[in-house]
Structures are given as C-alpha cells and as structure tokens.
C-alpha cells in the first residue's frame, strides 16, 4: 500500500480500536497494535499471511460472504454485538465486574479503493462495546423484572388486581369477538379478620399464601387466578359455561376448607364464600361480570358463608 | 404528492429512471453476490409527507406484522446535500428460504434471523443508495444498520412525536431469486432540504435533456 504520510502507521497504532487491512484473498496487509496486544500475532508475524488460516475459529462462511459483498457492492458491511457477540474472541478487562470473559464487538468492513475505483482492500475496524453491551443487557433484564414485579402480588405470587383485570378485559373482548364463553369465580376468605386477630398477621399471611398455592394447583393451566384485594381472590375460566364454573367453584371451596392451614404447629381452620357468573352470547362487559360475581359472593356471605352461589340464583 | 414539492411529471420520470438504474445495478451486484440470478422488479416510487408514513405503509404492505431495519445515510455530516434515514420493511419473510439464499447453514435462531435482516437490508440499501449517488454525482455514506423491530405491528414502527424527517421517498422493491420471490419495501426518509436538493438536481438534469 502506498503510504501518504510516513507517520500514518504510528497513528494507526495509537487508535483505541482494532484496525487491520486484508485483500480479497484474506491476506493481511496491515495489523495495528490494538490487534497485536490482544492475540498472539504481531504485525510482523501476520502481515502476508492468510487471516482465516491464522484464526481458524472465525465464522468462515459469514466472513467470506461479507467480504465478498464489500468487494462487489463497494459499500461497507457491518457486524453488531446484538446479533453476533464478537468476531475475534478477545479477552476483556471486566471479567470481575461484568460477568463476561470476552469482548463484545461492533465491526465494520470498509472498502479501500484503488486508482481504478475498484475495491482493492478492505479495512476492518473492531470496536470494544462490552460496556454498552453489559449495560444494555442489564437494562433488558431490569425491564423484564419490573414488568414481572408490576404484574405480580408479592405475598401470594399470583397476578395482582390491575394485571389480572387487564387479562380478564382482553379475554372478555376475545369472547365478544369470537362468540366464545368465559366464566368468572370470585371468593373471599371467611372470618379472616378473626384469624389475624387471634393468631397474628403473619398467620393471616400464611393462610393467603397457602390458599394461593392450593388454588393454583387445582386449577387448569388455562384458568387465570389473581389476588383481587385483601383476602379476596378472582379466577376467570376461559371456554367454561355456568355448570363448569359451578363445578370449579365447589372444587375450590373444598380444597380450601377440607384441610386446615398449619401455622407454628397450630391447625387454623379456614373456609371461603364463593360467587360465580358466566358470559352471555354477546355484549359482555368485564366490569359488569365482576360486579355480578361480587353480588353472588355477597349473597354467599349472607346465606351463612362457606358456600358457592351463582349470580343467576341471586335476587337482584 | 405534497403541494410544496410539486414534482413535475418529467422530474418524477427522471427520479424513476434514476431509481431504475440504481436497482438495475443492485440486481446485477446481488446476482454476483448470491451466485444466482436475481431479478429486481421495476421499483414503484412515491414521495409523501413523512407524517403519513404509517398510513402509506399500511396501504403498501398488507401484512399485519412486519420486521424493519433502519440505517442512516448522508453526503456530508455538516450541511449535507442529501441526508436521511432509510427503513427497510420485510413482511411475511420466509427465513428458511432467505437462509438458503445466502447459503447459511447455521440453525435459524432469532439472532440469525436478525442478522439476515440486517445483512439483506444493508446490501439492498447500499446498492440502491450507491446507484442513486452515482446518478447524482454524490458520495453517500451510511451508518451501521440496526433492527427497529421483529414481527411487530406496523403502528409501533415509528414514534410519530419524534419524527424529524419531513418527506419520505418510498421505493417498493421485489426481488426474485430463482423461483423464490422475496419482497421488501425501502423507504428513504429525508428532511425538507434534501428533497429540495434532489428536486434541484432533477430540474438541472431534465433541462439538459
């Protein structure tokens, strides 16, 4: 290569990026210090050799394809860490704080034109983007975790009210659109205040946790349960009619009250009052259905607790 | 077409011609690159207000979900004659066929799909822009491409509040390889000044005819 300025090579060695130049046969023509101190090849070692022979771990086909495209199209090709973490497996200084043992890289393949305006060489630059990569990945994890926390009730690990309502709302609009069915079951723990007063709030918490576990285990995968508030829970049952809802409600009532919850070796008897309803053939509204199940739930409370009541059996 | 940029029929024809030549070169280059005969359809071009991008997009691509890649381009960094951002939109992409096209034998994971989208759009964008640059006697540089989204709905493609471009030149391209047909839409979004410059060049070129 003709060198315009005698000090260009020194400048290239000062760069905080990997720079090297190859021709269309992958013969190396330039290799800067940044590259040299990160692998076993100094400039003197590698210039004149075939790059792919020296680095057998390079993604050969990918490399050949991209080099070819630069030569033919005369425009640059790129590689980004988000799709391909690195081209050259270089060590990185953040193995302690970053949790990664290699350098994430953005690479750029730029055409170097000869006098006839054809591509004569390709200049490859390698940028260390490990810090950006680590920060971006942490941010992604954090966003996912925030999304999870935002939709989960911390105590019971069930969906919280706002997230459950959103799911139910979607389900109801799906039901309206495709003329499907959905049932809704809401239940409330009986005499919960008494449990809290008698055994303490930690015991009350344990009761809610146990109820959540028991219900989740006995429900089908498609059923969606949430903690509606305090000691009140809600479940919607996709593709389930009123008879199905009555069966599930009774099943839930049994698994809640048949076995006491043990707290510090004390058996605490629990029960729940349950109300349920079912969607109609059209024009369903999620708030209206919740209100119906709630009405049935209060009817169950008023008729002596620990029982299931259908909204269609309530006097309204 | 927008009233402030009333391209005459001659100017539009010339722009179409520039795109045709650019695409012709792109097709030739792609044939050599893929070792298969690549035909590019005659691009249909349109200039519209960037605000209407989503509406236009929905008209041009009937698919519900699309994948999109963006890439910046400029002739100069300061006071450029032409600058902007290109968006390549892929709809109903058959990634297995695409992998065969670029002779890929890796498993087609989500990262591999993204890399293919980046590669193909960089190639098409590069070929198209350098073809145009040549016709306009400019040298156009590009920034590295990045994914806007994969299998996303068209509405979530752009943040309308932050759209800094005034106009969009849409170039609908279909490329056919062997018996497989792929298509993607290339949109060049440009500010007022670039479209004005483009028009000035077109006026000069038409006058020379």
């Amino acid at each position: 290569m003709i060198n315009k300025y005698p000090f260009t090579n020194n400048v290239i060695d000062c760069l905080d990026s990997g720079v090297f130049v190859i021709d269309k046969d992958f013969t190396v023509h330039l290799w800067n210090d940044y590259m040299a101190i990160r692998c076993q090849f100094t400039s003197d070692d590698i210039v004149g050799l075939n790059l792919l022979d020296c680095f057998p771990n390079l993604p050969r086909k990918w490399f050949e394809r991209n080099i070819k495209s630069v030569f033919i199209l005369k425009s640059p090709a790129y590689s980004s860490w988000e799709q391909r973490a690195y081209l050259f497996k270089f060590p990185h200084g953040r193995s302690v704080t970053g949790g990664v043992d290699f350098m994430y890289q953005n690479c750029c393949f730029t055409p170097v034109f000869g006098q006839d305006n054809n591509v004569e060489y390709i200049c490859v630059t390698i940028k260390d983007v490990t810090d950006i990569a680590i920060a971006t990945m942490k941010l992604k994890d954090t966003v996912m975790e925030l999304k999870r926390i935002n939709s989960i009730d911390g105590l019971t690990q069930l969906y919280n009210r706002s997230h459950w309502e959103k799911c139910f709302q979607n389900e109801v609009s799906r039901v309206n659109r495709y003329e499907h069915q959905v049932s809704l079951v809401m239940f409330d723990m009986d005499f919960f205040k008494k449990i809290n007063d008698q055994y303490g709030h930690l015991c009350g918490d344990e009761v809610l946790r146990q109820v959540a576990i028991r219900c989740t285990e006995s429900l089908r995968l498609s059923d969606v349960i949430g903690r509606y508030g305090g000691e009140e829970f809600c479940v919607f049952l996709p593709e389930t009619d009123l008879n199905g809802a009555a069966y599930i409600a009774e099943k839930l009532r049994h698994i809640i009250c048949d076995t006491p919850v043990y707290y510090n070796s004390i058996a605490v008897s629990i029960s729940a009052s349950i109300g349920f309803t079912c969607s109609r053939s059209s024009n369903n509204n999620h708030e209206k259905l919740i209100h119906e199940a709630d009405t049935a739930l209060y009817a169950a409370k008023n008729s002596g607790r620990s029982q299931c009541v259908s909204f269609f059996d309530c006097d309204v | 077409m927008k009233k402030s940029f009333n391209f005459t029929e001659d100017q539009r024809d010339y722009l179409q011609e520039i795109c045709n030549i650019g695409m012709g070169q792109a097709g030739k280059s792609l044939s050599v690159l893929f070792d298969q005969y690549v035909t590019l359809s005659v691009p249909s071009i349109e200039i519209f207000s960037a605000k209407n991008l989503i509406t236009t997009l929905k008209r041009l691509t009937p698919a519900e979900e699309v994948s999109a890649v963006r890439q910046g381009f400029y002739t100069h960094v300061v006071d450029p004659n032409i600058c902007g951002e290109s968006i390549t939109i892929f709809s109903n992409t058959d990634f297995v066929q695409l992998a065969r096209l670029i002779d890929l034998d890796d498993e087609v994971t989500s990262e591999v799909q993204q890399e293919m989208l980046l590669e193909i759009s960089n190639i098409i964008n590069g070929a198209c822009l350098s073809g145009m640059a040549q016709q306009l006697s400019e040298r156009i540089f590009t920034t590295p491409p990045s994914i806007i989204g994969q299998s996303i709905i068209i509405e979530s493609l752009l943040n309308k509040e932050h759209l800094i471009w005034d106009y969009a030149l849409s170039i609908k391209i279909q490329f056919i390889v062997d018996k497989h047909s792929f298509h993607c839409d290339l949109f060049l979004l440009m500010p007022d000044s670039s479209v004005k410059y483009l028009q000035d060049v077109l006026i000069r070129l038409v006058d020379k005819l």
Side-chain angles (χ1 to χ4, degrees):
Chain A
M1 252 203 269
I2 308 155
N3 210 335
K4 255 199 263 182
Y5 309 101
F7 54 78
T8 308
N9 277 332
N10 292 337
V11 172
I12 282 167
D13 285 331
C14 296
L15 291 177
D16 189 28
S17 297
V19 178
F20 64 91
V21 171
I22 52 174
D23 61 23
K24 65 177 188 314
D25 301 316
F26 301 98
T27 305
V28 179
H29 290 265
L30 185 148
W31 192 256
N32 79 340
D33 272 0
Y34 187 94
M35 296 298 291
I37 58 177
R38 280 164 180 80
C39 64
Q40 74 268 42
F41 297 100
T42 64
S43 172
D44 289 344
D45 295 335
I46 201 167
V47 167
L49 298 183
N50 183 295
L51 181 76
L52 298 177
D53 291 345
C54 296
F55 293 90
N57 290 332
L58 282 177
R60 197 184 181 98
K61 252 188 162 170
W62 183 92
F63 218 88
E64 286 170 346
R65 195 171 66 240
N66 278 277
I67 294 293
K68 196 176 161 192
S69 95
V70 177
F71 271 103
I72 294 169
L73 303 177
K74 302 179 182 180
S75 58
Y78 305 92
S79 150
S80 161
W81 69 271
E82 285 184 274
Q83 286 78 41
R84 188 174 291 276
Y86 56 84
L87 274 186
F88 292 86
K89 191 161 187 176
F90 286 161
H92 186 263
R94 281 192 66 167
S95 49
V96 179
T97 55
V100 293
D101 58 356
F102 57 83
M103 180 205 286
Y104 281 86
Q105 297 162 1
N106 277 354
C107 308
C108 180
F109 298 75
T110 321
V112 178
F113 294 96
Q115 275 159 340
D116 56 352
N117 206 28
N118 275 325
V119 181
E120 207 164 325
Y121 301 99
I122 285 176
C123 175
V124 183
T125 52
I126 295 179
K127 261 187 243 167
D128 178 359
V129 288
T130 313
D131 289 345
I132 295 169
I134 290 172
T136 308
M137 287 186 293
K138 265 193 189 151
L139 188 66
K140 270 188 193 158
D141 286 350
T142 309
V143 169
M144 266 170 65
E145 179 64 7
L146 282 176
K147 268 191 189 154
R148 198 189 68 82
I149 291 172
N150 203 27
S151 63
I152 296 286
D153 167 57
L155 178 67
T156 60
Q157 297 297 307
L158 301 178
Y159 283 151
N160 62 23
R161 178 170 169 168
S162 69
H163 186 72
W164 180 88
E165 269 186 346
K166 227 180 277 167
C167 298
F168 185 51
Q169 193 178 353
N170 290 343
E171 179 64 20
V172 171
S173 54
R174 209 179 62 86
V175 161
N176 283 337
R177 197 175 334 134
Y178 299 110
E179 295 179 2
H180 284 199
Q181 257 186 327
V182 63
S183 286
L184 173 63
V185 176
M186 295 189 79
F187 62 92
D188 190 89
M189 304 305 299
D190 295 330
F191 303 112
F192 191 69
K193 193 176 175 308
K194 250 191 195 166
I195 296 173
N196 272 336
D197 290 347
Q198 199 173 338
Y199 304 101
H201 281 91
L202 291 179
C203 175
D205 287 353
E206 183 58 22
V207 166
L208 295 177
R209 260 195 298 266
Q210 285 303 321
V211 167
I213 292 170
R214 287 182 197 178
C215 291
T216 308
E217 281 172 355
S218 75
L219 287 168
R220 298 161 298 187
L221 270 178
S222 55
D223 301 333
V224 180
I225 183 169
R227 185 178 175 200
Y228 199 70
E231 64 272 23
E232 195 172 347
F233 296 83
C234 44
V235 193
F236 70 80
L237 318 163
E239 310 299 336
T240 308
D241 62 11
L242 198 67
N243 288 332
Y247 172 78
I248 300 273
E250 197 53 29
K251 189 174 161 193
L252 289 176
R253 196 181 68 80
H254 273 288
I255 60 128
I256 290 169
C257 76
D258 285 358
T259 330
V261 169
Y262 286 90
Y263 179 73
N264 287 343
S265 314
I266 308 162
V268 181
S269 295
I270 55 168
S271 70
S273 302
I274 303 183
F276 58 93
T277 189
C278 179
S279 61
R280 321 297 198 275
S281 54
S282 63
N283 288 328
N284 293 287
N285 171 285
H286 75 284
E287 280 171 334
K288 201 173 148 231
L289 288 169
I290 290 173
H291 182 72
E292 287 177 6
D294 219 30
T295 306
L297 166 58
Y298 277 90
K301 286 266 181 203
N302 290 332
S303 340
R305 295 187 170 84
S306 192
Q307 54 186 286
C308 304
V309 171
S310 159
F311 171 73
F312 297 94
D313 298 331
C314 292
D315 301 319
V316 273
Chain B
M1 224 170 274
K2 204 66 184 167
K3 52 181 181 311
S4 51
F5 282 109
N6 245 332
F7 280 64
T8 65
E9 212 179 313
D10 281 348
Q11 291 165 10
R12 224 179 315 166
D13 285 349
Y14 213 106
L15 185 60
Q16 175 79 51
E17 195 52 35
I18 288 176
C19 291
N20 290 356
I21 296 170
M23 282 304 135
Q25 285 166 346
K28 234 183 270 165
S29 305
L30 292 173
S31 300
V32 179
L33 187 65
F34 295 141
D35 278 329
Q36 288 179 72
Y37 196 68
V38 180
T39 331
L40 282 170
S41 63
V42 174
S44 68
I45 61 161
E46 219 177 300
I47 288 194
F48 51 92
S49 163
K51 277 195 231 76
N52 299 329
L53 182 66
I54 298 291
T55 336
T56 311
L57 214 58
K58 286 184 107 172
R59 176 164 53 80
L60 292 175
T61 61
E64 264 185 42
E65 284 186 347
V66 296
S67 301
V69 177
R70 61 152 294 282
Q71 195 166 12
F73 61 87
Y74 52 92
T75 53
H76 307 84
V77 175
V78 179
D79 202 11
N81 286 340
I82 289 179
C83 71
E85 214 169 323
S86 73
I87 299 181
T88 318
I89 312 245
F90 298 83
S91 40
N92 305 320
T93 312
D94 184 341
F95 285 102
V96 178
Q97 294 287 6
L98 208 57
R100 218 167 287 160
L101 171 66
I102 61 174
D103 194 20
L104 196 85
D105 35 36
D106 303 332
E107 189 197 337
V108 184
T109 60
S110 160
E111 279 80 18
V112 171
Q113 288 186 2
Q114 287 181 11
E115 203 170 31
M116 283 197 285
L117 291 178
L118 290 173
E119 241 179 274
I120 298 281
S121 58
N122 184 47
I123 288 171
I124 289 177
N125 198 36
C128 178
L129 283 172
S130 70
M132 279 179 67
Q134 221 177 333
Q135 299 300 312
L136 300 172
S137 310
E138 291 280 351
R139 196 173 162 201
I140 293 184
F141 301 90
T142 57
T143 65
S146 58
I147 299 263
I148 300 178
Q150 207 183 339
S151 303
I152 54 168
I153 56 167
I154 291 176
E155 281 83 357
S156 62
L157 206 63
L158 288 181
N159 193 344
K160 262 183 269 174
E161 281 83 59
H162 292 104
L163 202 65
I164 59 165
W165 311 114
D166 304 310
Y167 290 92
L169 168 64
S170 99
I171 306 175
K172 197 175 176 63
I173 308 160
Q174 186 167 25
F175 60 107
I176 298 158
V177 185
D178 207 5
K179 50 188 176 294
H180 309 301
S181 144
F182 300 91
H183 81 260
C184 59
D185 290 284
L186 180 64
F187 292 90
L188 304 179
L189 303 185
M190 286 178 285
D192 219 79
S193 56
S194 293
V195 177
K196 184 90 187 63
Y197 180 82
L198 192 65
Q199 194 176 24
D200 288 346
V201 175
L202 289 172
I203 290 169
R204 270 203 309 272
L205 291 171
V206 171
D207 282 350
K208 262 197 234 163
L209 284 178

